């Protein structure tokens, strides 16, 4: 059993005792509030702005579960074009791990017991090292509220009354956008709370802070 697996199990128990209040998400709006599957003009403009901002980062909290196993912690995501560094930190043990890759470089996972792991696919590296199914390659797009490029075309997209993404289904995952940060000057609207589900695999994310190209 790896250190990360033990960390996740400990966090799951701690979260259960604490009621998991810090990661509680709002109940998803009923289907009637998903107004259209055609991309609104506001969303077209938002995506155009995001295409001009290849460097971005966010800090927040993440909860991961697979069947009866799960855990939560802090996440720090740094994206520079195709290259990324994702840091995970355990509040209980104060241990941390870092996943890096992209831009033609192999994926590397540091902080594991027994040394780093590497490979060509971030999702497979995490799955083999921890047992967690996390679509890292897709999350870079999904976390910003947009379909992942190079993946299977979305099976369904729905938008809320404001014209922002409400539901995205792609590659077997359903992504629900539960809350948004409003547009601020040159920075477009960005997700605040996200829940991604594929079978019994679930990733819940609360973004505490966004930074887009130094903004």
């Amino acid at each position: 059993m790896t250190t990360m697996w033990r960390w996740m199990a400990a966090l799951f128990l701690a979260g259960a005792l604490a009621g998991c209040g810090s990661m509680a998400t709002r109940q998803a709006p009923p289907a009637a509030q998903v107004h259209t599957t055609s991309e609104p003009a506001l969303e077209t403009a938002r995506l155009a702005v995001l295409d001009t901002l290849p460097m971005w980062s966010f800090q927040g909290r993440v909860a991961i579960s697979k069947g009866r196993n799960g855990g939560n912690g802090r996440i720090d995501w740094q994206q520079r074009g195709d290259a990324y560094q994702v840091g995970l930190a355990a509040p209980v043990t104060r241990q941390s791990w870092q996943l890096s890759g992209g831009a033609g470089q192999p994926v590397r996972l540091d902080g594991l017991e027994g040394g780093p792991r590497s490979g060509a696919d971030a999702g497979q590296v995490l799955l083999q090292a921890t047992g967690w199914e996390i679509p890292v390659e897709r999350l870079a797009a999904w976390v910003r509220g947009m379909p992942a490029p190079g993946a299977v075309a979305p099976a369904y997209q729905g938008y809320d009354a404001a014209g922002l993404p409400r539901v995205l289904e792609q590659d077997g995952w359903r992504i629900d956008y539960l809350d948004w940060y409003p547009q601020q000057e040159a920075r477009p609207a960005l997700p605040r709370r996200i829940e991604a589900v594929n079978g019994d695999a679930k990733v819940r994310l609360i973004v505490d802070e966004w930074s887009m190209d130094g903004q």
Side-chain angles (χ1 to χ4, degrees), residues 65-196:
S65 61
K66 175 73 171 176
R68 296 182 177 181
N69 298 311
N72 56 76
R74 300 290 306 178
I75 182 170
D76 184 341
W77 190 304
Q78 306 282 333
Q79 190 82 23
R80 297 292 179 266
D82 293 332
Y84 58 85
Q85 288 188 345
V86 183
L88 296 171
V92 176
T93 64
R94 296 187 179 181
Q95 291 181 301
S96 62
W97 299 265
Q98 181 170 283
L99 180 71
S100 59
Q105 300 297 318
V107 176
R108 181 183 173 98
L109 180 61
D110 289 287
L112 294 173
E113 187 177 277
R117 305 285 181 88
S118 61
D121 182 89
Q124 285 299 313
V125 170
L126 279 174
L127 183 63
Q128 293 170 6
T130 69
W132 299 108
E133 185 178 355
I134 305 174
V136 176
E137 307 289 354
R138 307 291 187 248
L139 278 177
W142 292 348
V143 75
R144 291 176 291 159
M146 57 198 303
V152 175
Y156 175 76
Q157 282 185 271
Y159 303 87
D160 63 18
L164 293 169
R166 170 61 190 85
V167 180
L168 170 64
E169 295 180 1
Q170 189 175 27
D171 278 5
W173 286 81
R174 174 188 168 102
I175 302 95
D176 285 285
Y177 296 96
L178 305 179
D179 198 8
W180 285 78
Y181 286 103
Q183 178 180 346
Q184 293 183 353
E185 298 180 350
R187 192 183 77 182
L190 290 164
R192 185 197 304 262
R193 295 192 180 203
I194 305 169
E195 183 174 286

